[in-house]
Amino acid sequence: MKLGTLLSMAAMAVMGMGLALPAQAADPIKIGVYLPLTGQNAFGGQLELEGIQLAHKLKPTVLDRPVELVVVDNKSDKVEAANAVKRLTEHEKVLAIIGTYGSSLAMAGGEVAERAKVPVIGTSCTNPLVTQGKKYYFRACFIDPYQGAAAATYAYKNLGYKKAAVLTDVANDYAVGLSNFFKKTFKKIGGELVADMKYSSGDQDFTAQLTELISKKPDIVFMPAYFAEGAIIMKQARELGATFVLMGADAMDNPDTLKIGGKAVEGFLHTTFPYDVNMENMSAEAKTFTDAWKKNFPNKDPNVNSALGYNCYNIILDALTRAGKADTEALTAALAATKNLPTALGVLSINETHDAEMPVGIIKYMDGKRKYIGDAIAE
């Protein structure tokens, strides 16, 4: 009798006795990834995916089983984001999901994941609504209330600016939330808000808004834009003779900010996650990530999006190791219990609202280069 036949008969005998066969060591643990790999937010999504793939390359197994990444493009679209999570949960049967860049995309996908009871860890989705009221959605980044408050505190207390204005993309949840938190904190700590200007995603001409801002004479203008529009705003502001300082948020942390903005970027500030390839006093975990990135991507530097993707993968593997089994509920509980985990972005804990507690970094563009100048603490 052939060996295969004997094994089949043995398996049938075990099942006949009411015993379940153990998972084979080769059975993969499937982790889904949904990111904007095309569309408006593609550059950030691609960087995060590269960070995830790098982490997977360095740690391809957990619980003595291989990890399989299942990647779906959410196309920078809310409907596609929901569809991507549905595919990952219903058809791919993933154990966990990483994603996504873009808070509005995360909110759309999060509703589907919540119904499916599959844990998700967000990369750079900073709007508080992403995790609000969710059992299964977590994130590896700080949230906009803290980021916006930190930006306002830094502008008022560290830089000494007393008059501020905001320029907000009203069609973007991320931008609206950040502007609101900046305004609230700036006024609370004694600053004066002299203008509150608006535009919509896709706009190319900001002359009217910038002319109005110039007339109000703010010391600083907070504009939590995505990098492409933010760079255009900076160029047009300088062409109009604006002398106020421009400040953005983490969505401006992109190599193309400098490429598109050119000389207009000089003096620009933005909040970011606490990592930079040239930062001083780099932690051991940040150095491991940086060295691995340079080895695998020798022609481009890593940025915070890459580090966030890298972190998300490692946070899931850490939680799985502590859970001791590949089970969605056990993994969810372990993610919620994540405390003082050393990561490429500093020591990270997940709090009771499923948000990461971590510092806020500040970047300044000087002499045609970006420089990590320190951390900001919200008032």
Side-chain angles (χ1 to χ4, degrees):
M1 188 175 292
K2 293 183 179 180
L3 178 60
T5 304
L6 286 170
L7 290 173
S8 297
M9 291 175 64
M12 292 174 66
V14 171
M15 293 173 68
M17 289 186 289
L19 302 175
L21 286 171
Q24 298 300 306
D27 289 349
I29 292 175
K30 297 173 77 172
I31 297 178
V33 179
Y34 82 117
L35 290 168
L37 304 178
T38 56
Q40 179 187 11
N41 302 324
F43 198 94
Q46 288 165 357
L47 281 168
E48 291 180 354
L49 177 60
E50 288 169 346
I52 295 165
Q53 291 171 331
L54 176 61
H56 179 248
K57 183 176 182 179
L58 297 179
K59 297 179 181 178
T61 63
V62 67
L63 302 177
D64 296 321
R65 293 167 62 181
V67 176
E68 177 186 342
L69 294 177
V70 183
V71 181
V72 181
D73 179 11
N74 65 39
K75 303 178 183 179
S76 304
D77 180 84
K78 295 178 186 179
V79 174
E80 291 291 343
N83 289 338
V85 174
K86 185 175 182 180
R87 173 182 163 186
L88 290 170
T89 55
E90 293 184 4
H91 300 289
E92 299 293 346
K93 305 296 184 183
V94 299
L95 179 70
I97 298 173
I98 299 172
T100 175
Y101 182 101
S103 293
S104 59
L105 304 175
M107 283 186 266
E111 296 298 328
V112 180
E114 197 72 9
R115 290 194 295 271
K117 298 182 179 181
V118 173
V120 186
I121 183 156
T123 46
S124 54
C125 39
T126 53
N127 190 301
L129 294 175
V130 170
T131 55
Q132 186 172 298
K134 299 289 193 301
K135 176 182 178 181
Y136 296 95
Y137 220 112
F138 302 82
R139 69 179 114 212
C141 57
F142 48 61
I143 59 174
D144 287 339
Y146 192 81
Q147 181 179 193
T153 303
Y154 193 85
Y156 185 84
K157 293 200 168 182
N158 294 68
L159 301 178
Y161 295 140
K162 307 305 180 186
K163 294 183 178 182
V166 296
L167 178 58
T168 310
D169 178 355
V170 294
N172 186 286
D173 296 330
Y174 162 85
V176 171
L178 268 171
S179 285
N180 287 338
F181 300 125
F182 178 94
K183 290 184 291 185
K184 180 179 178 180
T185 300
F186 196 79
K187 290 188 287 186
K188 176 184 174 183
I189 60 180
E192 179 186 357
L193 188 72
V194 298
D196 188 352
M197 306 303 296
K198 300 173 175 60
Y199 70 94
S200 294
S201 301
D203 287 354
Q204 296 293 307
D205 184 0
F206 304 93
T207 304
Q209 294 96 324
L210 290 168
T211 300
E212 178 70 12
L213 286 171
I214 290 170
S215 73
K216 298 295 184 181
K217 298 181 180 180
D219 299 317
I220 189 167
V221 173
F222 183 64
M223 54 152 202
Y226 283 100
F227 70 94
E229 289 170 342
I232 294 171
I233 290 169
M234 284 188 277
K235 290 181 75 172
Q236 292 182 10
R238 299 316 173 206
E239 288 168 359
L240 290 168
T243 58
F244 49 68
V245 172
L246 281 163
M247 186 179 198
D250 61 291
M252 292 297 297
D253 197 353
N254 190 298
D256 278 7
T257 295
L258 189 56
K259 292 178 184 177
I260 298 171
K263 293 181 180 179
V265 177
E266 187 72 14
F268 176 64
L269 297 159
H270 67 73
T271 51
T272 188
F273 298 95
Y275 171 83
D276 183 76
V277 66
N278 297 312
M279 70 190 301
E280 298 176 0
N281 303 316
M282 187 177 285
S283 69
E285 290 74 20
K287 191 174 188 308
T288 296
F289 163 70
T290 304
D291 291 345
W293 179 276
K294 288 181 175 179
K295 181 179 178 180
N296 286 272
F297 303 99
N299 297 320
K300 63 178 177 179
D301 285 340
N303 83 335
V304 292
N305 295 107
S306 316
L308 282 163
Y310 177 90
N311 269 10
C312 283
Y313 180 87
N314 286 322
I315 290 168
I316 289 176
L317 260 62
D318 171 74
L320 276 170
T321 301
R322 287 185 285 108
K325 57 183 176 179
D327 173 81
T328 54
E329 293 300 328
L331 175 57
T332 300
L335 285 169
T338 301
K339 299 295 178 189
N340 301 317
L341 177 67
T343 77
L345 293 168
V347 177
L348 178 147
S349 295
I350 300 293
N351 62 24
E352 64 278 1
T353 55
H354 291 186
D355 306 316
E357 294 183 346
M358 62 198 307
V360 177
I362 299 290
I363 295 290
K364 184 174 183 179
Y365 292 79
M366 299 181 287
D367 301 321
K369 297 179 180 179
R370 65 190 300 282
K371 182 175 177 60
Y372 190 96
I373 60 172
D375 298 339
I377 299 173
E379 183 72 15

